[in-house]
Amino acid sequence: MLIAWTLAGPAIFFLLVLFFLPVIGVFVIALTDWQFGARSLSFVGLTNFREVFADAGFRTSLFNTVIYALIVVPGTVVFGLLIALLIESGKSCRSFYRAIHFLPFMATLTAMAIAWGTLLHPTIGLVNQTLAAMALPTANWLGQENTALPVLAVIGIWQNLGYAMVLFLSGLKSIPQDLYDAADVDGADLWFDRLRTVTLPMLGPVSMFVVVVVALRAFESFDTVKVLTQGGPGHASEVLLYTLYRESFEYLRTGYGAAIAVVFLIIVVTLTLVQARVMDRKVHYQ
């Protein structure tokens, strides 16, 4: 018993220091009116939480975050699986294609956001210049309310694509060839039949992991919003983490920002548990 506690002790210590104690600290701050830099505070109970749920700005950022996730998660899963299937079906340059598609995930997102901002510039950006050369309509992609959030979601898909691709590639390599041979014997000789009866069912556990991780990353989106739009125009691209940052470090309403952090944590934990519970029933097979 002593040996077990000795071995587990460092992990438990760092878990307490780096996770549980900060979470408890945020909960405590959320019950106060503390402002960043102030030397005094007073407990206000659940006032901050009541203000959060009554705030139209918070509801807007929550809605934007949900819409962002609903675009990023399916897009990342579908395109990540498609690219993995294409790479796996190829006979040459597999390592090259894997590296090319994985680079966005490894790159610094802030630097990539600056590059995207240049590409999407309304006058000198390559995207609008290409569209104009093809006689297609152009737009101020990051400066219009109806395009800002979808464009940020496309950047999110691009950034997460390589991660999903690598996971799907590992899942494809773990599928026994015997299952495809058995499917051929049963008459599933077309690629679509093999995909439907063998590949997709066997990728169930990997798909569940990809959905959960990408959904968490989508809800944690901040860098691209901060660099490219600052939540605008007109709060059209403001997401939860940017609202938390703005309230805590721009307006210095730390207690209110902590309340948003608590609500955000509850939403993310609930979402993760629901996803795991729902998808877990569909990915295990005998």
Side-chain angles (χ1 to χ4, degrees):
M1 190 67 174
L2 180 60
I3 296 176
W5 279 105
T6 302
L7 295 175
I12 295 174
F13 172 77
F14 285 110
L15 187 65
L16 288 173
V17 171
L18 299 177
F19 182 74
F20 288 108
L21 291 181
V23 169
I24 294 173
V26 170
F27 270 94
V28 173
I29 293 175
L31 300 175
T32 71
D33 62 353
W34 184 55
Q35 293 185 340
F36 188 78
R39 297 184 178 181
S40 61
L41 56 85
S42 58
F43 284 90
V44 296
L46 299 178
T47 301
N48 287 327
F49 292 97
R50 287 193 291 266
E51 186 177 351
V52 165
F53 290 109
D55 185 4
F58 172 79
R59 293 195 296 270
T60 299
S61 65
L62 176 60
F63 176 78
N64 290 339
T65 304
V66 172
I67 296 299
Y68 178 89
L70 289 176
I71 298 174
V72 170
V73 175
T76 302
V77 172
V78 171
F79 287 107
L81 176 59
L82 178 61
I83 292 174
L85 290 171
L86 291 174
I87 292 176
E88 188 65 18
S89 64
K91 301 299 182 183
S92 61
C93 299
R94 291 185 180 182
S95 298
F96 173 76
Y97 292 127
R98 284 197 295 265
I100 288 298
H101 287 96
F102 194 68
L103 279 177
F105 182 77
M106 296 296 294
T108 303
L109 189 54
T110 301
M112 292 298 99
I114 295 174
W116 273 104
T118 303
L119 291 173
L120 295 168
H121 192 276
T123 55
I124 64 173
L126 182 61
V127 173
N128 273 350
Q129 289 189 0
T130 302
L131 292 174
M134 300 171 62
L136 295 174
T138 61
N140 184 2
W141 301 104
L142 297 173
Q144 297 178 189
E145 293 187 6
N146 61 332
T147 59
L149 188 63
V151 168
L152 291 178
V154 170
I155 297 175
I157 294 173
W158 170 83
Q159 204 266 334
N160 289 289
L161 200 59
Y163 181 71
M165 176 207 65
V166 169
L167 292 177
F168 281 126
L169 280 174
S170 65
L172 289 172
K173 290 184 179 297
S174 66
I175 300 176
Q177 182 61 37
D178 295 345
L179 293 179
Y180 290 110
D181 296 337
D184 288 337
V185 172
D186 291 337
D189 51 353
L190 298 176
W191 70 268
F192 180 77
D193 293 330
R194 292 157 61 91
L195 177 69
R196 179 176 56 84
T197 59
V198 178
T199 305
L200 292 181
M202 293 301 296
L203 287 177
V206 176
S207 300
M208 182 188 75
F209 183 78
V210 171
V211 168
V212 172
V213 172
V214 173
L216 291 177
R217 289 177 60 85
F219 268 82
E220 295 169 359
S221 174
F222 172 78
D223 305 68
T224 52
V225 175
K226 181 65 174 69
V227 174
L228 295 177
T229 66
Q230 293 81 46
H235 302 284
S237 63
E238 186 169 326
V239 293
L240 280 177
L241 280 190
Y242 187 78
T243 301
L244 191 159
Y245 163 81
R246 186 193 61 195
E247 294 291 344
S248 299
F249 299 104
E250 291 185 0
Y251 301 159
L252 302 181
R253 302 175 63 196
T254 311
Y256 183 76
I260 296 177
V262 172
V263 175
F264 174 78
L265 178 62
I266 293 174
I267 292 173
V268 169
V269 171
T270 303
L271 174 68
T272 304
L273 293 177
V274 170
Q275 284 181 321
R277 177 65 62 88
V278 171
M279 297 191 66
D280 187 63
R281 297 175 182 175
K282 300 181 180 180
V283 301
H284 289 100
Y285 32 77
Q286 302 295 332

